[in-house]
Amino acid sequence: MPSFRHQPVVPHRIFLAVALVAALFLPIRHALGAGTPAVVHPSLWPQTHWPFASDAKLEARVQALLHKMTVEEKVGQIIQADIGSVTPDDVRTYHLGAVLAGGNSKPGGRRTADPAQWQAAADAFYHASMDTRDGGMAIPVLFGVDAVHGDNDTLGATLFPQNSALGAMRDPALVRAIAAATAEEVRATGINWAFAPTLAVPQDDRWGRTYEGYSENPALVAQYATAAIEGLQGRPGTPAFLDSSHVVASAKHFLGDGGTLNGKDQGDNPDDEAALIRIHAAGYTKAIDAGVQTVMASFSSWRGTKMTGNKALLTDVLKQHMHFGGFVVGDWNAHGQVPGCSNEDCPQAINAGLDMFMAPDSWRGLYQHTLAEVKSGVIPIARLDDAVARILRVKFRLGLFRQGAPSTQPLARRAAEVVGSKAHRELARRAVRESLVLLKNRNHLLPIDPRKRILVAGAGADNISKQNGGWTINWQGTGLTNADFPGATSIWAGIRAQVDAAGGSAQLSPDGSYTQKPDVAIVVFGEDPYAEFQGDLPNLAFHPGDDRDLDLLRRLHRQGVPVVAVFLSGRPLWVNREINAADAFVAAWLPGSEGEGVADVLLRTRHGRIDHDFHGKLAYSWPRTALRTPLDMGPPDYHPQFPYGYGLTYADDGDLAPLPEAAGVALDSARAGIYLMRGRPAPGFTLQLQGASGTATPVTATPAASADGSLRIAAIDDKAQEDARELTWTGGSAAATLASAAPLNLDRQANGDMLLVATLRIDALSAQGSSIGVRCGRGCSAELPIGSQLAKLPRGQWLKLGIPLKCFRAAGADMTQLDQPFTWRSSAGERIAITSASLGMVADRTLACPAQ
């Protein structure tokens, strides 16, 4: 078994010495309190080597351009707009320096886009930026995308395992190869800038972006930083650097996003300066040494100061002391969070050291305000010129001024051979094999003989979206089917192919039912896709209040079927009960598009050999309880269920004593977004019937009725005995509500695409219409009329019905204090059955926001 003490991956003497000096002179972690501003000491930060010597020819070209540019053109260069809110004509008129395609933005407003459609969009923006008919300068535009696990915005692209999986490989060479393959596929679509790699060092797995980080270990993140950046950009000083097969990389998010208090996305990092250096800056020193061309400033704060407005760190440390010579770009309207700023006006960010605003939908107003502030002197012209010069240097290094239109580039001309190529898919499949971590293997159940009768069950078995997670095709990675992944392989499909080839029998049964008893069952389950703050958790319990996966494991076990659990997740979660219920347990992370890599390891060959043993070791400590957060190496009380570096092989004794099944905390369904489950209110909620008279009657048993009898409720069966509730309206306007014991703050969730989802069956509708709503305290509510949309839905069929939370905000609800997060109002003639109500990202039917 490996040693589990924290050992640096590579020697890092200078870096560690700097951190030691900082530790001697600065207060320990959290000593000042999260809200106390901290003073930055640049001399304590590590020195780096920017790998580009002074280039007189390059500087002459930059200065010549600057001298010719108008102030309007200069301001345009420091603004990046999203393709969903900007046109090529806008780029031509405002001389914008860059565009991006956010997670939900596709050319022409499409749902998905193929390489040819991306190329056409890239060409249009390029030609607009080079159009000099208005007398302006021809300065080619940069085009950026979040290519965080492959070219994940493109239909048919190779999708690699997410970063938390790559950390388990301990294979920098493979990370370099993955980054190089990603660069090739991105470049083949006409794009030249990847917002990657993420160099966060997550210290609290409740954070919704944990899977974007390689590890909780800063030394491993530092090692991977070099590999990823050299893979994306090529190695400085070689002919391959930023050639036509590589892209501009972006080290993100500077700085400390992985250490926010309670793992809150976009929150505040309370660490002292020593911890900021030792933990969170580790990857950036190596990124600068590798010549990373852009650094993305974080949404988050350090000790109360928003990073996008932190001059001490952006300018004094990053640019001056660490000698970063590229440019600093903001995150999605992150400048609007700087005190005194808005999305359309923020001179503070530029004066702090930001070089390019990421202003997806706010760019026009931001341009006007920034132009006025330069002319008035609020933004010094010297600061503007420095920002523009940094951007131009990157464009010259990339060769944009001589390469021509994106579609004419070598890889773009053979995009069909490059995007999703066999070589890239084989590389991704290898990464899947290397990233799997075996946590348990009772009686050496694994590897499985493929000649046996194998049942493959669980919601993740034949679900390519689920095995990819967020940042896949769209921002949240939701609303997708297997048809949206041409060329990809689900875990089930990979198992079936190998079992069929060996002469065995494989059956897919998501609910675990079968007619002939299998020799073994493989149950694939885990987290649903999410991204950013929509994945933030109150604790590390897996699906609190929803035991369907656990019930499936236990049912198969009771039936005498040996069970292999394959757990899909972006992070370690408390799954002690599921581990106990399985004979073998595999942490498969989010493996991407090549699901057959899982079969490669779980199954023997048709001749009984083991071709691929387990290789992965935990890059994140696995929690002992749901409350054990944060959980990272180093503190004296470090006591995980499975420590950093744990991972069994087939040669190891895989038996485990039963794990404790006490979560260590009440499984807080309310904070987890579960309000009604299996027909019963979740803990902390009360189901109430409010009759036409306005009197609310709590439902303590069924059947029941409102005080005036206008609304009745009864228990009925859906999948189990009395696991649903039937509501029948017989009088005037009446409502069924779920009331929370404490107000809920769903403000951040309402910023994105999160839904209020109800699993229900419509049997009859009232002619007077229906509404769904929320209440935000006395005198504060929002009810949305949905009768016309419900009328188009089938009768007598169970479905998941969703409505965006932002609809309630638009209707006037204060989403920071919801005391009734679910209300269904109707009148005589309506009859529906409901089994669950919760927050989610996936629905069978999503209603549109009704016109106000």
Side-chain angles (χ1 to χ4, degrees), residues 276-412:
L276 201 66
I277 295 170
R278 175 175 56 85
I279 299 172
H280 302 290
Y284 292 92
T285 62
K286 292 299 185 182
I288 295 170
D289 288 345
V292 69
Q293 293 296 289
T294 72
V295 168
M296 185 180 292
S298 179
F299 271 112
S300 59
S301 306
W302 179 53
R303 305 199 72 81
T305 301
K306 280 291 179 182
M307 280 305 309
T308 307
N310 195 321
K311 182 178 183 295
L313 290 175
L314 293 182
T315 297
D316 301 346
V317 169
L318 179 64
K319 292 181 176 179
Q320 296 179 359
H321 183 76
M322 296 175 74
H323 309 296
F324 171 60
F327 70 83
V328 178
V329 64
D331 207 338
W332 187 279
N333 277 333
H335 55 274
Q337 296 184 10
V338 174
C341 290
S342 68
N343 289 353
E344 295 187 345
D345 188 9
C346 193
Q348 294 94 318
I350 292 295
N351 288 339
L354 192 75
D355 299 307
M356 181 180 285
F357 289 108
M358 185 182 289
D361 53 358
S362 59
W363 64 269
R364 196 183 305 268
L366 187 64
Y367 173 91
Q368 300 293 349
H369 282 110
T370 304
L371 179 61
E373 285 150 359
V374 171
K375 290 182 176 180
S376 70
V378 172
I379 299 174
I381 191 66
R383 172 76 272 269
L384 177 65
D385 283 350
D386 174 60
V388 176
R390 287 173 175 271
I391 293 166
L392 293 177
R393 289 187 195 106
V394 171
K395 292 184 174 185
F396 278 120
R397 290 190 191 110
L398 185 59
L400 285 187
F401 288 87
R402 56 178 169 75
Q403 288 181 345
S407 65
T408 67
Q409 302 304 300
L411 292 181

Side-chain angles (χ1 to χ4, degrees), residues 553-803:
L553 294 169
R554 287 175 170 170
R555 172 161 47 87
L556 288 167
H557 187 76
R558 286 194 304 270
Q559 293 167 352
V561 179
V563 177
V564 176
V566 177
F567 186 52
L568 302 174
S569 72
R571 52 194 159 191
L573 292 171
W574 184 76
V575 286
N576 282 14
R577 298 178 301 169
E578 288 81 359
I579 293 174
N580 286 341
D583 296 284
F585 196 96
V586 178
W589 313 108
L590 298 171
S593 61
E594 305 312 299
E596 194 162 359
V598 176
D600 289 341
V601 181
L602 298 190
L603 304 178
R604 294 179 180 271
T605 69
R606 61 188 302 176
H607 304 295
R609 296 193 310 269
I610 299 174
D611 270 1
H612 302 287
D613 201 343
F614 278 90
H615 173 92
K617 306 298 179 185
L618 291 180
Y620 291 88
S621 305
W622 202 279
R624 182 171 294 271
T625 72
L627 194 59
R628 185 72 175 127
T629 52
L631 184 65
D632 54 315
M633 299 170 295
D637 61 347
Y638 176 67
H639 190 52
Q641 188 65 66
F642 302 104
Y644 176 91
Y646 180 90
L648 300 170
T649 66
Y650 284 138
D652 293 321
D653 178 3
D655 289 357
L656 281 181
L659 303 180
E661 297 197 356
V665 61
L667 298 184
D668 192 340
S669 302
R671 295 180 64 193
I674 299 170
Y675 310 140
L676 183 76
M677 181 58 62
R678 298 181 180 180
R680 295 171 175 83
F685 288 88
T686 302
L687 178 59
Q688 300 177 346
L689 303 182
Q690 185 183 67
S693 65
T695 301
T697 303
V699 177
T700 57
T702 54
S706 60
D708 61 2
S710 59
L711 174 57
R712 298 184 178 278
I713 187 169
I716 62 170
D717 298 345
D718 174 24
K719 292 182 172 60
Q721 184 176 0
E722 297 190 355
D723 65 342
R725 297 293 180 265
E726 185 180 64
L727 296 164
T728 304
W729 281 260
T730 59
S733 176
T737 69
L738 286 163
S740 175
L744 305 177
N745 185 347
L746 301 184
D747 191 54
R748 286 192 306 152
Q749 289 86 338
N751 285 334
D753 297 321
M754 188 163 279
L755 308 172
L756 175 59
V757 180
T759 302
L760 51 78
R761 186 187 71 203
I762 301 171
D763 294 325
L765 290 175
S766 169
Q768 305 303 312
S770 310
S771 68
I772 190 169
V774 297
R775 196 182 79 170
C776 36
R778 188 176 299 276
C780 176
S781 64
E783 291 198 2
L784 307 175
I786 56 173
S788 60
Q789 296 186 69
L790 295 181
K792 300 175 184 177
L793 300 179
R795 301 291 184 271
Q797 295 182 19
W798 288 99
L799 56 81
K800 286 187 176 181
L801 186 69
I803 188 162

Side-chain angles (χ1 to χ4, degrees), residues 450 452-456 492 495-497 499-500 504-508:
K452 300 287 188 179
R453 181 178 294 108
I454 300 171
L455 177 72
V456 183
W492 150 250
I495 293 171
R496 178 182 57 185
V499 171
D500 286 352
S505 170
Q507 176 190 354
L508 175 66

